[in-house]
Amino acid sequence: MSRLSFSSTLLASFLLIAAILGTAALGGLLTLEDFAARSREGAGHALGFSSALQQLGERTVDMERSARQFLVLDDPVLLERFEQARDDSMTALVWIAGLGGAKSQGLVNQWIDASNRAAAALNARAGADAALRALGELPILNEHLAAELRLQLDAESKRLLDELDGNREQLAWHLLVAVTAALLLAALTGWWVLRPLNRVEGAIEALGESRFDEPVIIGGPADLRRVGRRLDWLRMRLADLEANRTRVLRHVSHELKTPLASLREGIALLKDGVVGGLTTEQHEVVAILEHNTRALQLRIEGLLGYNAAVFDARSLKRWKVALRPLVESVVAEQQLQIQSRDLHVDIDVNGNIPPLTADPDKLRIALANLVANAISFSPHGGKVRLKIARELRDVTIDCIDEGPGVPENESERIFEPFYQGSRQPAAPRHGSGLGLSIVREFIHAHGGKIELVPTSVGAHFRIALPNES
């Protein structure tokens, strides 16, 4: 089955399921056909018995009438009529004997014996009494034959009904087994096909999140395995491109730092008047140059720091980490910023939070950037809430501030490097726009995710980390 393609697997499974259900249906049809044939045969026997008994009764009456007339008139024609009626009766008896049981055969033999005695008495003119006694036995034997044949027909009908019940029960079991087998085959096929599809989806998500460290291995049908090999080739290609991009960015950043340092040194010399005095307008130009060169240096240093963080996120040193003490220490490290803005920070822990298997240093950096972002955007005297909760498979950390918030159309871009949202706090802030990008890189490296939760006031970020305990 592993050599089959996706479409061939579905077709083969469909044909197998159709064959299983078709076999069960064909078996039921053959069983019903057999029962119908036997029912028709039983009905034919019943009709034949009824006709034979009716003929036997009529011929018995004819025999007795002819015998009585012969005994009175002694006419040979009447004896011939008797023999003719007797021959006709034998035809019915032969049919009854051929289809009846052992008891019916005995009654037929008695009937033949009685008719033979009557015929012998008539032919020998041995007297009317012997002939009439023998003929008197025939109606009684006819009644016994009729009763015996009714019992036989009733027994045959009961046997057919019992067989029908048995066949119905057997057919029900066959159908149950067939449907169960079809469902199991469908489930097996679904597992065989959907499992690699889920892996393909997971591999694509990992590539989209720039996680290139795990090889893509896809099982299942042949064409899906080919897709897996192409995805793994794409993973290695993207990893090479990412490494080249990082290397080029690092080299360019370092190359920019040297002329930038010279530029700042030259601006400082101009500002200090080393090369001569400056006019008021020249001082303003020097101030603008100094401000922009400082901003450019901060951008370059931030870019280097971000690339270092992205590279560092790929190597985690995991051990058990208690979340609440970690969050409390992150808040304590930023007490100066909190006090300078007269903020109030609440830490709320919902339930018993198990320790996480994580890299405490990188998790601390991610939480520190998230809290610093909330502090930076919070209004003076505002409130920042940190909530830690345990869900079914994750542990969540919510950071909620009372700042200007993030527009819905910027909810994804807010995590891009150097992107600063359109809504800025009233107080001026100095940031490179890399904090949330670093948070996302470190959280994704732990197998978690960060998202912006819609809210009417402020910004609400939620980190979800896998709970492996």
Side-chain angles (χ1 to χ4, degrees), residues 207 210 212-213 232-248 314:
L207 295 179
S210 300
F212 309 127
D213 53 336
D232 195 56
W233 172 84
L234 179 61
R235 174 190 67 85
M236 293 186 290
R237 179 65 176 157
L238 290 175
D240 290 340
L241 292 175
E242 180 68 16
N244 291 334
R245 184 187 69 83
T246 303
R247 184 166 53 253
V248 169
R314 299 175 184 175

Side-chain angles (χ1 to χ4, degrees), residues 274-327:
V274 175
V275 294
L278 301 177
T279 65
T280 304
E281 291 80 2
Q282 290 172 336
H283 273 292
E284 292 179 357
V285 172
V286 168
I288 293 172
L289 291 174
E290 183 181 24
H291 172 76
N292 286 326
T293 52
R294 186 180 299 111
L296 181 58
Q297 184 176 7
L298 289 176
R299 284 294 182 94
I300 293 174
E301 290 175 353
L303 185 60
L304 290 174
Y306 174 70
N307 279 277
V310 171
F311 181 79
D312 198 29
R314 299 175 184 175
S315 57
L316 300 179
K317 298 177 181 179
R318 296 176 181 264
W319 60 77
K320 294 292 183 180
V321 178
L323 269 184
R324 177 162 189 162
L326 183 64
V327 173

Side-chain angles (χ1 to χ4, degrees), residues 54-182:
Q54 182 179 1
Q55 182 181 358
L56 185 62
E58 292 174 353
R59 296 293 84 80
T60 301
V61 173
D62 291 342
M63 286 170 61
E64 186 177 0
R65 183 186 302 114
S66 299
R68 288 182 181 276
Q69 290 175 353
F70 175 74
L71 291 173
V72 173
L73 301 176
D74 194 20
D75 186 352
V77 175
L78 295 173
L79 185 58
E80 290 178 4
R81 290 179 182 175
F82 174 84
E83 292 295 340
Q84 182 62 44
R86 182 167 170 263
D87 291 340
D88 293 341
S89 299
M90 290 301 174
T91 303
L93 288 171
V94 168
W95 199 89
I96 292 172
L99 297 178
K103 192 171 182 181
S104 299
Q105 182 65 48
L107 292 172
V108 167
N109 291 336
Q110 293 178 29
W111 200 98
I112 294 173
D113 179 65
S115 67
N116 287 338
R117 284 189 280 111
L122 291 175
N123 285 323
R125 273 74 170 179
D129 293 340
L132 293 176
R133 279 198 304 272
L135 290 172
E137 296 176 11
L138 297 182
I140 299 174
L141 292 172
N142 288 345
E143 292 179 2
H144 288 170
L145 272 173
E148 181 60 28
L149 292 177
R150 279 196 299 271
L151 290 175
Q152 183 178 332
L153 290 174
D154 291 342
E156 187 174 351
S157 298
K158 185 177 183 304
R159 185 171 62 253
L160 281 175
L161 290 176
D162 291 341
E163 260 186 58
L164 177 62
D165 290 338
N167 289 335
R168 184 169 54 195
E169 183 176 352
Q170 185 178 12
L171 179 60
W173 277 107
H174 286 172
L175 288 175
L176 179 62
V177 171
V179 170
T180 303

